[in-house]
Amino acid sequence: MCDARRVTSEPAPGAESRAAPDTVALAKVVARQRAEMDRLRDLAARAAVLDQAKGVTMVLTGCSPDAAEEELQRRAEAAGHSLLEECWITLGTLVPAMAGTAGEETPAGRSAPAAEPDRDAEDAEDTPADLGPLGGELVRVATPQDLARCLLAHLAPEVDADAVMIYAWLPAGELQLIGHAGVDDVLAEQWRQVPPLTGIAPLEALRTGQPRWLEDAERDRKKYLLIDPPGRWRSRAWLPVRTGDGPDACVGVLRSGAGPFSPRARAHLEAVARLCAGRLLTIGIRPHDTADASAAAVQAVFDALPEAAMLLAPVRTAVGAVEDYRIDAATAQAVDVVGRAGRELVGRRFRECCPALAEEPMWQGLKDALATGTPYESEPFGRQETVDGATELFNYTVRAARLGQGLVVTWVRHGSSDRQEQRLADLQRLGSLGWASWNLITHEVTWSSQVFALFDRDPADGPVALTDLPGLALPEDGPALTHAIGELLARGRTFDVPFRVRTADGLRHLRAVAEAVPDSAGTTVEVHGVVQDLTAQRSAELALVESERAILTQHDVLRAERTLAGLLQHALLPLPTRPVRLAGLRVDVAYLPAQSGVHVGGDWFSAIELPDGDALFMVGDVAGHGIGAVAAMAQLRFTAKGMVITGSSLTGALARLNTLLLHSRDPHGTATLVLARYDPAARRLVWAQAGHPPPLLLRDGQVRYLDRPRGMLLGASRAPDYEEGVCRLAPGDRVLLYTDGLVERPGESIDRGLKRLADAVLGHTAEPGSLSLGPLLASMLEGERRDDVCVLDLRVPAEPE
């Protein structure tokens, strides 16, 4: 980024706070300097063109100079042209035959070149194309680059031209490319500066004042240094252009076709060169002393400016797009990235000196200012600068205004007061607050713009007095605000009052905080206050209160439901207080409800002795919790017992229970179940399961899970397939029936849980008793229980009792 200033010493007192010069005003100052130089230059240009056109008219009509000027004026009025435009058009219609033969004086007072002996007489009599349309087009040409494009558009169909180059002849004798068309930018840059050497065709044309016709590339290459990409242009013409007493520019016409220019083409090109003279004088080729004086005058203005500024001229591509800017003038405070300042920057490219400013969006802002004429001002940006050895951050703004065909760009450094004001504005915006002040002596009221926004009040309506502030609040909130203001005015008490106002966007919650400023006698003379928008916070508070209320209500409902479900479960599923004997087995029962949540689960068991002396054991788990789960548990428990007691097989009972769950009026979902029937005479345990974990067998100090027969959980399929499994027990055997709450843990596979249970059973082989399951359950159920746990512990006595 281009430094905005060069820091060499402590700035003068008050210099930082002094306002930077207005960019538009600066542009006007420079414009006045340029306007005077342009006025003088235009007068000289008009005089030169008028003299040439008068000379042509005198030759054609044989009239006097005054009559020639009157004739030109009459033609201009008849055609609706200006006198200058009519002069250009008259010069454009000039033909070589009218310019006289060798030795005759041309309208410009110069001897015409002698006719070449090898021209064909018949071709010499051909009339060149009408140059009137070209003269009209030249009226709209503003730069040498535009002139090159205009000439190529005209000459391409007339003489098969493929490219046009325009060189200016500088005082030191070198050439500078000022316009080109049909030539790529790389080649143009390579040939932009041509030193005053021999063997340069355009230089020879300028030195002699005669065109140079290069019509044989191989022959011409031996004599001249050609601008010649391999095989591209095989013939070319260089035509000197007189803009003053002698030639100042040279127009090159390059063709890809080989062979000589016809006499008609030569005459046409010479007429075009004469037609370009007046236009080049006004747009690009000026007397060098005049150009130097103009540049010096502009630079003198910039030398006197106290702030960083540059005058930029656009550098365009072949299609007219701005690719860079040339620095034509700069102040001493404008410093580039390598420390060059002021006059050292003149003539250099803007991208080279200030690369950081050549990025979006600032670069686009400069282009828009140049194209539309609307001044541009960038967003503030920070720059680190060293002042007396200390690094300090300064904020800058870039401003640009169009001046003629260029731009005046200035850097404005914001002082500490500007930064404080910006910070205060940011604070009000980010904090959704604004400040207000009431002077009780002068009755002056001052509000920041944010206060108007908070009250949704048009700034054109002005602020309101302190005592009128309650009138802006809702009627129910006004009295509290009125009382607070009265206490502040009477007793000087600071207040902090919330209130509401109605805006176009709806109800807005505001907070007013104000304090009194007393005089030496203690009387309040001024009030300073802050108004803050609390709508978002208030909305969040109300939403939180409603959420808490809903949670408490739901918690009460769930607590009541749990109590009811617990009572119902206890009534339906009474727990024995000590081990019981069924069909010769010692049976321990454990039921532990979940510790998390407020719902009662659907785990259940049943252990009864059948009429034929066998024992029936069931352990099940209904999906879900609450009253529905308890109801489904009761239905399955009692129905299963009834089916088995009345003679149903275990698999038949499971199939009917599945149908019952599917066709229930209020189906609760699914359930798992294990049914086991024990024959004491044969010590035979027959069992079936529906999606339930398998029973665990402990025998002779070893544990294993019984092989699960096929069986799908209840309520999952309309055509389930259930099978029975058989296990013969021996004295001392121990069988555990349990629900999945005993072995399942979050994030752990069921296989890992089953292994933990097997290991725990091996570690707790105490004699049966009322607390025999306690150590086992304690080791399995570490931490908080998230599900109910139900266990049946069946033990075969070691000795017959």
Side-chain angles (χ1 to χ4, degrees):
M1 179 179 295
C2 185
D3 290 339
R5 60 179 295 170
R6 174 181 291 173
V7 180
T8 57
S9 63
E10 185 69 25
E16 184 174 301
S17 62
R18 184 170 60 237
D22 184 78
T23 306
V24 178
L26 172 60
K28 292 179 179 179
V29 173
V30 178
R32 286 196 294 270
Q33 295 286 336
R34 280 197 161 177
E36 181 62 21
M37 303 308 301
D38 290 343
R39 186 180 69 83
L40 296 175
R41 188 168 58 253
D42 287 344
L43 290 176
R46 289 173 179 270
V49 175
L50 179 60
D51 287 344
Q52 292 184 28
K54 285 168 58 178
V56 172
T57 306
M58 291 168 60
V59 171
L60 294 177
T61 63
C63 64
S64 66
D66 292 340
E69 184 172 353
E70 292 177 359
E71 174 64 18
L72 291 172
Q73 185 66 45
R74 184 190 64 77
R75 292 179 191 172
E77 293 176 355
H81 299 151
S82 67
L83 178 60
L84 186 61
E85 291 172 344
E86 186 62 35
C87 290
W88 288 336
I89 294 172
T90 298
L91 293 175
T93 59
L94 188 64
V95 296
M98 300 175 182
T101 58
E104 294 181 347
E105 289 293 314
T106 65
R110 298 286 184 267
S111 297
E116 298 185 12
D118 59 345
R119 288 191 180 183
D120 185 91
E122 183 178 352
D123 288 341
E125 295 177 357
D126 289 345
T127 302
D130 182 15
L131 294 183
L134 178 59
E137 291 295 328
L138 293 182
V139 173
R140 293 184 288 273
V141 168
T143 66
Q145 187 67 31
D146 295 339
L147 176 61
R149 288 193 289 267
C150 181
L151 291 180
L152 181 59
H154 173 77
L155 296 176
E158 293 294 336
V159 298
D160 296 328
D162 294 293
V164 170
M165 303 179 76
I166 303 176
Y167 276 102
W169 198 12
L170 302 183
E174 71 270 24
L175 296 178
Q176 181 178 6
L177 183 66
I178 59 174
H180 61 88
V183 179
D184 62 78
D185 292 340
V186 175
L187 184 63
E189 190 63 33
Q190 293 172 347
W191 286 85
R192 188 169 301 278
Q193 298 291 137
V194 180
L197 304 175
T198 59
I200 305 295
L203 270 175
E204 288 195 7
L206 288 167
R207 289 167 180 157
T208 62
Q210 303 295 328
R212 284 294 177 266
W213 308 98
L214 281 62
E215 300 166 326
D216 186 333
E218 295 303 323
R219 182 188 63 192
D220 296 332
R221 199 181 309 279
K222 299 176 182 178
K223 184 177 181 181
Y224 298 109
L225 178 62
L226 300 181
I227 303 173
D228 191 16
R232 182 170 180 182
W233 297 312
R234 292 186 288 176
S235 61
R236 64 201 74 198
W238 292 100
L239 304 114
V241 177
R242 294 176 180 270
T243 60
D245 293 335
D248 291 299
C250 189
V251 175
V253 180
L254 300 91
R255 304 189 305 178
S256 59
F261 290 85
S262 68
R264 181 178 182 277
R266 291 192 178 198
H268 186 74
L269 290 176
E270 291 176 355
V272 167
R274 287 190 292 274
L275 185 61
C276 293
R279 197 57 183 146
L280 274 176
L281 179 64
T282 60
I283 64 174
I285 303 300
R286 318 171 206 168
H288 300 296
D289 55 346
T290 303
D292 293 342
S294 176
V298 172
Q299 183 60 50
V301 173
F302 274 74
D303 288 340
L305 296 177
E307 296 294 336
M310 288 182 181
L311 177 63
L312 304 181
V315 178
R316 301 181 181 274
T317 63
V319 297
V322 176
E323 63 177 359
D324 204 343
Y325 296 91
R326 183 185 68 249
I327 302 174
D328 284 351
T331 64
Q333 292 77 17
V335 184
D336 72 355
V337 292
V338 296
R340 294 173 298 208
R343 294 174 179 264
E344 296 176 311
L345 300 175
V346 175
R348 299 185 183 276
R349 296 299 177 92
F350 186 67
R351 283 185 183 272
E352 169 195 351
C353 298
C354 306
L357 297 185
E359 300 176 357
E360 298 291 351
M362 202 171 297
W363 185 257
Q364 186 61 43
L366 298 180
K367 293 174 64 177
D368 292 342
L370 181 64
T372 65
T374 302
Y376 163 75
E377 181 170 343
S378 73
E379 292 293 330
F381 61 93
R383 278 287 298 163
Q384 294 282 354
E385 293 185 10
T386 301
V387 181
D388 294 336
T391 301
E392 187 176 352
L393 177 65
F394 290 94
N395 287 332
Y396 285 90
T397 297
V398 170
R399 297 174 182 172
R402 188 171 70 185
L403 174 61
Q405 300 298 321
L407 284 175
V408 175
V409 178
T410 61
W411 285 259
V412 179
R413 189 172 81 170
H414 301 286
S416 58
S417 60
D418 298 325
R419 294 198 297 272
Q420 293 296 339
E421 184 177 346
Q422 182 63 40
R423 290 169 183 169
L424 179 59
D426 293 341
L427 177 63
Q428 293 184 81
R429 176 176 49 82
L430 296 175
S432 297
L433 55 84
W435 58 267
S437 177
W438 292 270
N439 190 310
L440 305 182
I441 305 300
T442 64
H443 304 290
E444 181 182 0
V445 182
T446 305
W447 282 7
S448 69
S449 59
Q450 189 70 14
V451 175
F452 286 99
L454 294 179
F455 280 104
D456 196 20
R457 183 176 177 85
D458 189 347
D461 297 335
V464 301
L466 182 62
T467 54
D468 295 336
L469 194 62
L472 301 179
L474 293 185
E476 54 268 35
D477 295 344
L481 192 55
T482 300
H483 176 74
I485 293 174
E487 289 292 307
L488 180 140
L489 295 177
R491 299 178 176 82
R493 293 181 179 176
T494 299
F495 69 75
D496 186 341
V497 180
F499 61 97
R500 295 167 293 172
V501 296
R502 194 171 301 281
T503 68
D505 296 331
L507 202 62
R508 183 171 292 168
H509 294 263
L510 300 180
R511 170 195 181 199
V513 182
E515 65 178 1
V517 179
D519 59 8
S520 58
T523 303
T524 300
V525 295
E526 195 169 0
V527 175
H528 297 163
V530 174
V531 179
Q532 185 177 15
D533 186 0
L534 300 179
T535 303
Q537 296 92 317
R538 185 59 178 161
S539 299
E541 291 172 1
L542 293 176
L544 181 59
V545 169
E546 290 297 325
S547 177
E548 290 177 349
R549 184 177 296 130
I551 290 173
L552 290 175
T553 301
Q554 182 68 13
H555 187 271
D556 291 341
V557 171
L558 294 177
R559 185 185 299 277
E561 181 181 329
R562 177 179 175 85
T563 301
L564 177 61
L567 293 174
L568 179 60
Q569 185 184 53
H570 183 71
L572 298 175
L573 193 65
L575 293 175
T577 58
R578 57 184 179 180
V580 298
R581 290 182 177 275
L582 292 175
L585 299 178
R586 181 184 294 270
V587 181
D588 279 346
V589 180
Y591 179 83
L592 300 174
Q595 292 178 329
S596 62
V598 296
H599 290 294
V600 175
D603 288 19
W604 56 280
F605 71 93
S606 182
I608 62 173
E609 190 168 318
L610 299 175
D612 58 1
D614 291 354
L616 177 64
F617 304 102
M618 291 183 286
V619 173
D621 184 4
V622 176
H625 298 82
I627 297 296
V630 172
M633 174 268 290
Q635 185 181 36
L636 292 176
R637 181 171 182 265
F638 291 112
T639 302
K641 287 197 296 184
M643 289 180 181
V644 176
I645 290 175
T646 56
S648 176
S649 65
L650 301 182
T651 56
L654 290 176
R656 292 182 177 87
L657 291 174
N658 180 74
T659 302
L660 176 67
L661 203 57
L662 287 173
H663 293 86
S664 174
R665 176 176 296 181
D666 186 18
H668 194 70
T670 60
T672 66
L673 178 62
V674 60
L675 293 176
R677 182 167 185 158
Y678 177 68
D679 179 3
R683 293 197 183 97
R684 183 169 176 264
L685 183 69
V686 180
W687 68 288
Q689 61 86 28
H692 203 85
L696 177 66
L697 173 64
L698 172 62
R699 174 179 292 172
D700 298 332
Q702 295 183 349
V703 295
R704 70 179 181 89
Y705 288 98
L706 300 183
D707 295 334
R708 291 177 67 196
R710 187 160 48 201
M712 183 176 295
L713 77 165
L714 303 177
S717 173
R718 294 186 176 275
D721 185 12
Y722 297 107
E723 294 180 348
E724 292 181 347
V726 179
C727 177
R728 292 190 178 275
L729 302 182
D733 285 354
R734 182 182 179 187
V735 178
L736 287 182
L737 305 178
Y738 52 92
T739 57
D740 56 6
L742 183 65
V743 295
E744 284 187 344
R745 287 184 180 177
E748 181 181 82
S749 67
I750 186 65
D751 292 337
R752 185 173 181 83
L754 293 175
K755 185 177 186 306
R756 284 193 298 104
L757 177 59
D759 295 340
V761 169
L762 284 177
H764 300 85
T765 56
E767 287 296 324
S770 61
L771 300 178
S772 63
L773 286 176
L776 173 65
L777 295 176
S779 63
M780 288 295 296
L781 303 176
E782 298 176 355
E784 185 181 50
R785 294 189 301 277
R786 299 189 179 184
D787 199 0
D788 299 347
V789 176
C790 183
V791 181
L792 283 181
D793 186 2
L794 312 180
R795 296 172 183 262
V796 181
E799 297 293 340
E801 300 184 9

